[in-house]
Amino acid sequence: MELNVIGKGLPKVDAWAKVKGKTVYADDFSLPGMLYAKVLRSKYPAARILSIDTSRAKQLPGVHAVLTAKDVPNNNLRAKFGQSTDVGAQFEGLYRVLAEEKVRFLGEPVALVAAESLQIAEEALDLIEVTYEPLPGVFDPVEALKPGAYPVGENESNVVSRFKIRKGDIDAGFAAADVIVENTYHVPFVDHAYLEPESGVAWLDEDGVINIRVSTQVIEHFRTVAEVLGLPQNRVRVIGTWLGGGFGGKEDITVESFLALLVWKTGRPVKLTYTREESLLAHSKRHPFLMKYKTGATKDGRIIALEAELIADAGAYTYLTPWVLLYATVNAAGPYDIPNVKVDSVAVLTNNPFTSANRGFGAIQPNVAYESQVDELARVLGMDPLTIRQKNCLRQGASLATGFTFDRYVALPEVAEKAWQALGPAKESQDKRIRIGRGLAIGMMSYGRLTFLHDSSRSYVKLELDGSAVIRCGVPDLGGGQAQALCQIVAEELGIPIEKIKIYISDTALTPLAGTTTATRQLYMSGNATLKAAREIKERLLTKASTMLNVRKAYLKIENEKIVSLVEPGNFVSLKDVIAQCSSEGIELFCEAQFNAPFTDIPASELITGQTHPDFTFGAYAVEVAVDLETGVVEVQKVVACYDVGKALNVLNVEGQLEGGAIYCLGYALMEELVVDQGRLKTPSFSEYLIPTAADVPDVETILVESGSGLGPYGAKGVGEPACNSIAPAILNAIRDAVGVRITSLPATPEKIVFAMQKKQ
Amino acid sequence: MEIMREITVTVNVNGIPVRAAVSPQESLLDFLRYRAGATDVKCGCNKGDCGTCTVILEDRAVKSCLVLAAQADNRRVWTVRGLEKDPLMQALQESFATHGAVQCGFCTPGMLLTAKNFLEHNPKPDRAEIKEAIAGNLCRCTGYKKIVDAIAAVAASRTGDRA
Ligand code: FES
Ligand code: FES
């Protein structure tokens, strides 16, 4: 099929307003009479609340509401994370709006204030008197697992969930192995660090509907907010703004319930924006994992056994932990065809910040471990990094350890080779203090949500009489080109220029619900829904044009706002005329379509088998680093990302995902760590929590493989999250290559590298 | 409650004088967002770490969260919205859009102002100099490559004009 718009690196529809400073982000919006909200947060990571006295705060002039847990109609509920299906308690967690009785983490919301100004709201916070009885708490997940450990929540056990995978005979596998590598890896808490902190404005409209205009990846939280307030779901409307970044951190509820409660209480519009410090302190983090790995291979480099034990720190509340742990479990053995596999994973509550979704969603952490293991095996066996991977990686027809079989193209050997070769000829450092090293890592990650969530998306496409088009789709746009992709699909299918398309997104009242912008699902899900709607309209247009031109439908094509005969290009009718004809005959020029992902059953036990995800994206990173032997400072000189993206709908956007994903996790590899000591955050702002700047990073080279084998429109696969897989282990492998030390805990700071080098000597 | 002494300042924002009584501690960032309606100036940290609040004060790119409104009294401030007709800004805006340098866009206004100010002082930078120049403006989405591409393309076209 010839494509006119798909594949082009067109500027995004939202880019123009953004460069002109006209995009109205969540905090940029205000209403007359608006109040400002602040959140009082727990000073202790673990404590009993003995009393809360809000009377002085309430008396402060300008204060309109001070709320605590007892003012919340439903303060404790089972969190739905945007899914409409019931997936059972083992996959859902407690969502507590405000702390009651016991606080579980430092920064936990305890009370809310709404006042005439931010200054008054801040003053009011100081006047709320909370008496705490500090409790010991537990901060190490290994300790938290022990019998008799301090109970973080209301249950005796701190275990959130456990999963396992079993394939073959693990003991026999290790018995047959010629070499075995064993290591324990640790990855830390990290923050999403989107530049726009959590924010929203809410108001009550003339019909008594609570409107919440908020920076969110999940507008479907309107249902949760309704439940918190005890209102019918159609009384809460969420309008999602263009996000100033999300990366999973705006997947869970942030300010929505707080705003709704304060609006309900005061009847006034309310704004709540977190400070950067609040954002770092109190919203979700990426799960730290402790990962014990044992990998065995034969002399000729065949990996025959892998055993992994994963312990994830869930922090103080469950949130998306069970799903993250499930992803980690499924990914634990990596994209390798290994006959004997044993994986055991557990997630455990602690009195640390709560952890939930973060770009990569549990696939990233084990990727650090299994790709380090494969590299070590290659060293012991004297194999090169590419050969060992090509020898063992999954191919079409092979299965994951869960038993899920890949019936479509698996690009791993290809992407690994292309990335590795793109590094070019190796060169030595001229400087004696500097050692150059190279590393390779491959990975897989799903796109689309867990199949037992029964995911679906809806989109509405309509042609106007003048030949312009409207798309309505409840997709939140995080900046990844989510809206742009849908516009390009409609432009392609209906043969109209992209400038003639207007898209409305992310509004629970006015756009069909498209599901969450998470799980790298929007191109796949809403792309397919939009494609289905556009093709339905196209079919009607072609049918009408066929009679108008007296040409069989099969011999017609639609392009450049015309419907043209394939055999006789001079024979055509303008799109506008076909639209006019359809309109006068009452033929519908709109369509709302739904796309459903494959459905599977909810896992019945801890043992995970069969299909868990619709499909996977495969990619590889090759990097070159220069390590300073004296200081341990690592300079990443080259980064090559090679991914099978199926089909790049917009080349610029796909490259942008890979470049951005690479640097996001370059930070993970080398610099980022939220230091949490006994539940207290030691990196409270961007002065301490450092993310990569332009001066820290090389230009990422991207190589796109377009196999057309994806489940998305035109054979596309999702890349948003897979993009940040594999770079961290590639960097660790390159450091190992440069200076001979294996760093097993992220971030690989200069101190750790120097220490490891000294220890080796 | 202690009574705070207020001072009256007049800041010329995008060519329009904005006068307000403010507390001596009020930052230029708050003044711009809350009093001048310049919400194209973003607040990512309020502490000088992120660069999203960058504006041009007279002829220097500054982080407006680190400047007091009082320090901008009787001075001129430019934000992206006020530079709609500025040819260099227009070239940068076009270049950012067409190079895919804009993802979420939250860093974009600050990044554009830093880039404009930088190119005015260094018309022929190499990539390393561009990276150094924008190192105070964080971007979490793009990995910076396309931002550097966009700035480099504008620099190349301008020096091309001159040659
Ligand atoms: S808001 Fe000024 S530097 Fe971040
Ligand atoms: S585009 Fe999102 S922070 Fe730069």
Side-chain angles (χ1 to χ4, degrees):
Chain A
M1 184 176 51
E2 200 190 310
L3 297 169
N4 296 312
V5 187
I6 295 300
K8 299 265 153 52
L10 299 173
K12 294 191 300 174
V13 287
D14 45 303
W16 302 105
K18 286 175 176 173
V19 294
K20 292 190 172 142
K22 290 188 175 157
T23 305
V24 185
Y25 293 91
D27 185 67
D28 301 341
F29 182 79
S30 294
L31 285 169
M34 189 175 79
L35 302 175
Y36 294 82
K38 286 296 284 181
V39 181
L40 182 75
R41 300 180 178 281
S42 163
K43 289 191 186 128
Y44 296 92
R48 192 170 306 288
I49 299 178
L50 300 178
S51 66
I52 307 180
D53 182 354
T54 59
S55 53
R56 284 180 60 214
K58 280 180 176 155
Q59 281 158 17
L60 185 71
V63 169
H64 287 252
V66 182
L67 305 180
T68 63
K70 65 174 179 15
D71 303 304
V72 184
N74 292 304
N75 194 45
N76 294 294
L77 32 107
R78 213 163 85 183
K80 294 273 185 209
F81 302 102
Q83 89 275 14
S84 39
T85 38
D86 213 330
V87 292
Q90 75 274 30
F91 289 107
E92 296 171 348
L94 165 71
Y95 167 50
R96 176 169 290 163
V97 183
L98 292 173
E100 56 181 53
E101 286 172 32
K102 201 173 171 187
V103 297
R104 298 193 190 186
F105 71 101
L106 195 147
E108 180 167 358
V110 174
L112 306 172
V113 171
E116 297 282 346
S117 73
L118 212 46
Q119 289 72 19
I120 298 173
E122 275 161 12
E123 266 175 67
L125 289 191
D126 289 338
L127 297 177
I128 301 173
E129 283 159 31
V130 186
T131 321
Y132 296 99
E133 177 197 324
L135 295 170
V138 60
F139 308 100
D140 176 351
V142 176
E143 290 300 316
L145 275 174
K146 290 182 179 160
Y150 171 83
V152 175
E154 283 76 32
N155 297 337
E156 228 166 82
S157 164
N158 291 318
V159 171
V160 175
S161 34
R162 287 182 190 275
F163 298 113
K164 58 187 178 189
I165 291 179
R166 296 288 182 268
K167 180 187 175 191
D169 179 340
I170 195 71
D171 295 332
F174 283 118
D178 298 307
V179 292
I180 292 172
V181 168
E182 278 189 84
N183 275 307
T184 300
Y185 300 87
H186 182 260
V187 289
F189 285 104
V190 291
D191 195 77
H192 312 77
Y194 28 68
L195 292 189
E196 176 202 41
E198 298 76 357
S199 177
V201 173
W203 65 94
L204 205 55
D205 70 17
E206 64 269 31
D207 299 318
V209 174
I210 296 180
N211 287 252
I212 310 170
R213 187 181 186 278
V214 60
S215 178
T216 179
Q217 295 177 236
V218 181
I219 58 175
E220 286 79 359
H221 288 317
F222 75 96
R223 299 193 185 106
T224 306
V225 175
E227 201 181 338
V228 167
L229 282 163
L231 291 174
Q233 292 180 351
N234 65 4
R235 295 277 139 176
V236 178
R237 170 187 181 191
V238 171
I239 304 162
T241 57
W242 296 91
L243 280 84
F247 311 111
K250 294 169 186 167
E251 176 165 353
D252 297 302
I253 272 193
T254 60
V255 296
E256 295 92 322
S257 301
F258 302 156
L259 284 171
L261 285 160
L262 290 168
V263 164
W264 199 240
K265 188 79 185 175
T266 63
R268 299 265 295 262
V270 180
K271 177 184 278 190
L272 175 56
T273 300
Y274 289 175
T275 62
R276 173 59 54 191
E277 287 75 10
E278 274 181 295
S279 177
L280 284 166
L281 180 72
H283 89 96
S284 71
K285 309 297 163 211
R286 178 182 284 164
H287 290 75
F289 269 75
L290 189 69
M291 303 176 284
K292 266 172 86 172
Y293 267 76
K294 183 174 174 186
T295 318
T298 56
K299 277 201 290 288
D300 61 347
R302 178 90 180 94
I303 302 172
I304 55 170
L306 181 142
E307 185 174 356
E309 206 185 303
L310 313 176
I311 301 176
D313 187 344
Y317 284 94
T318 305
Y319 285 90
L320 288 157
T321 289
W323 304 5
V324 171
L325 191 71
L326 183 52
Y327 271 60
T329 311
V330 170
N331 281 279
Y336 294 102
D337 194 358
I338 305 172
N340 306 293
V341 175
K342 177 172 183 274
V343 181
D344 290 279
S345 65
V346 61
V348 54
L349 292 174
T350 63
N351 294 97
N352 290 324
F354 73 89
T355 47
S356 191
N358 184 322
R359 192 176 190 180
F361 206 83
I364 296 287
Q365 292 95 330
N367 170 254
V368 170
Y370 66 69
E371 278 305 84
S372 297
Q373 288 289 100
V374 170
D375 221 61
E376 286 302 312
L377 275 178
R379 290 190 176 272
V380 181
L381 293 163
M383 286 174 86
D384 74 82
L386 177 62
T387 310
I388 191 164
R389 288 179 172 84
Q390 288 187 321
K391 194 171 180 121
N392 291 286
C393 69
L394 294 165
R395 286 177 159 76
Q396 190 163 0
S399 304
L400 283 178
T402 56
F404 174 64
T405 302
F406 291 94
D407 57 1
R408 25 189 78 237
Y409 180 61
V410 178
L412 287 164
E414 183 183 349
V415 293
E417 184 160 345
K418 287 187 167 153
W420 191 236
Q421 277 170 1
L423 286 180
K427 59 172 193 318
E428 290 271 305
S429 163
Q430 303 302 331
D431 187 339
K432 277 207 180 64
R433 288 188 339 199
I434 305 290
R435 289 272 189 285
I436 308 279
R438 290 181 163 190
L440 175 69
I442 61 173
M444 63 172 193
M445 193 188 163
S446 52
Y447 59 97
R449 297 183 102 181
L450 291 161
T451 40
F452 66 79
L453 296 175
H454 292 198
D455 198 14
S456 63
S457 169
R458 281 185 290 134
S459 183
Y460 169 97
V461 179
K462 175 190 176 211
L463 278 172
E464 299 293 354
L465 294 182
D466 65 357
S468 62
V470 167
I471 305 171
R472 294 195 192 115
C473 184
V475 48
D477 191 303
L478 278 53
Q482 284 85 9
Q484 171 70 11
L486 306 187
C487 293
Q488 283 190 226
I489 289 168
V490 171
E492 180 70 51
E493 293 300 321
L494 299 183
I496 50 181
I498 197 131
E499 300 76 42
K500 288 203 173 173
I501 296 170
K502 170 68 191 136
I503 184 162
Y504 294 90
I505 61 169
S506 211
D507 182 331
T508 58
L510 301 180
T511 58
L513 292 181
T516 64
T517 301
T518 69
T520 310
R521 66 178 283 288
Q522 284 295 7
L523 175 59
Y524 164 46
M525 299 297 299
S526 299
N528 275 331
T530 305
L531 184 68
K532 192 171 161 189
R535 285 200 171 148
E536 175 64 39
I537 296 171
K538 179 177 172 179
E539 185 62 23
R540 292 176 202 155
L541 294 169
L542 290 175
T543 305
K544 183 44 51 196
S546 164
T547 41
M548 289 169 79
L549 292 170
N550 203 10
V551 176
R552 279 173 49 200
K553 224 170 28 182
Y555 296 109
L556 289 175
K557 69 171 173 180
I558 184 165
E559 66 177 29
N560 298 330
E561 304 180 83
K562 290 196 259 311
I563 295 177
V564 188
S565 159
L566 285 170
V567 268
E568 214 187 322
N571 189 16
F572 67 86
V573 56
S574 77
L575 194 58
K576 236 168 118 174
D577 288 347
V578 184
I579 291 171
Q581 195 57 38
C582 289
S583 176
S584 61
E585 290 177 29
I587 297 168
E588 290 170 13
L589 289 162
F590 62 86
C591 178
E592 182 173 323
Q594 172 159 331
F595 177 76
N596 293 328
F599 291 178
T600 58
D601 291 336
I602 296 164
S605 74
E606 289 174 2
L607 184 70
I608 302 303
T609 56
Q611 180 168 25
T612 50
H613 294 87
D615 191 21
F616 291 80
T617 298
F618 304 99
Y621 273 94
V623 304
E624 185 177 283
V625 301
V627 186
D628 188 316
L629 288 173
E630 279 172 24
T631 62
V633 169
V634 176
E635 190 196 332
V636 181
Q637 297 185 319
K638 284 186 190 170
V639 174
V640 184
C642 180
Y643 273 72
D644 176 10
V645 301
K647 173 77 195 163
L649 266 67
N650 183 313
V651 167
L652 283 180
N653 289 353
V654 174
E655 287 174 355
Q657 285 304 303
L658 292 177
E659 291 163 11
I663 301 310
Y664 191 83
C665 275
L666 179 145
Y668 191 43
L670 294 174
M671 52 203 294
E672 291 181 34
E673 177 174 16
L674 276 166
V675 181
V676 184
D677 179 18
Q678 298 290 303
R680 286 172 197 275
L681 186 61
K682 300 291 183 191
T683 47
S685 78
F686 276 170
S687 304
E688 301 81 16
Y689 186 79
L690 302 180
I691 64 171
T693 72
D696 299 324
V697 305
D699 288 329
V700 177
E701 181 184 340
T702 52
I703 303 171
L704 307 184
V705 172
E706 298 191 73
S707 68
S709 67
L711 300 174
Y714 314 100
K717 292 186 170 219
V719 289
E721 290 179 275
C724 53
N725 230 342
S726 305
I727 178 151
I731 290 173
L732 296 180
N733 293 344
I735 294 171
R736 170 75 166 87
D737 186 47
V739 294
V741 296
R742 167 63 54 191
I743 303 299
T744 53
S745 97
L746 293 187
T749 56
E751 299 76 53
K752 284 183 195 165
I753 293 168
V754 168
F755 183 73
M757 288 191 296
Q758 283 166 353
K759 224 174 97 184
K760 205 188 109 203
Q761 275 167 11
Chain B
M1 191 176 38
E2 118 195 50
I3 311 284
M4 239 189 293
R5 190 176 56 94
E6 292 202 323
I7 50 172
T8 302
V9 298
T10 307
V11 184
N12 185 304
V13 182
N14 294 326
I16 297 166
V18 180
R19 197 178 140 92
V22 304
S23 97
Q25 285 86 15
E26 179 160 321
S27 69
L28 177 58
L29 171 59
D30 282 352
F31 185 93
L32 290 169
R33 282 185 67 82
Y34 297 115
R35 303 185 194 272
T39 52
D40 52 329
V41 184
K42 305 299 176 202
C43 177
C45 74
N46 212 20
K47 191 161 179 284
D49 294 321
C50 75
T52 58
C53 64
T54 303
V55 298
I56 294 179
L57 175 60
E58 294 297 343
D59 69 342
R60 238 163 28 98
V62 297
K63 291 175 175 171
S64 63
C65 69
L66 294 182
V67 176
L68 296 175
Q71 289 173 293
D73 192 19
N74 290 315
R75 298 174 78 191
R76 280 176 305 167
V77 171
W78 295 97
T79 76
V80 164
R81 279 188 210 155
L83 293 168
E84 240 174 0
K85 300 212 168 69
D86 178 88
L88 177 54
M89 180 52 84
Q90 285 174 341
L92 282 163
Q93 288 170 325
E94 169 98 26
S95 190
F96 268 56
T98 54
H99 282 88
V102 182
Q103 288 194 27
C104 80
F106 204 76
C107 68
T108 306
M111 201 64 94
L112 284 165
L113 291 164
T114 298
K116 171 181 149 63
N117 196 248
F118 169 66
L119 289 184
E120 278 167 354
H121 294 104
N122 304 271
K124 280 189 186 178
D126 61 24
R127 283 186 84 86
E129 288 168 329
I130 295 173
K131 285 185 178 179
E132 210 49 60
I134 61 167
N137 291 74
L138 297 177
C139 173
R140 191 55 154 171
C141 303
T142 63
Y144 302 104
K145 186 184 183 190
K146 294 197 184 315
I147 294 176
V148 178
D149 289 347
I151 298 170
V154 171
S157 72
R158 284 179 18 116
T159 48
D161 286 349
R162 271 188 212 139

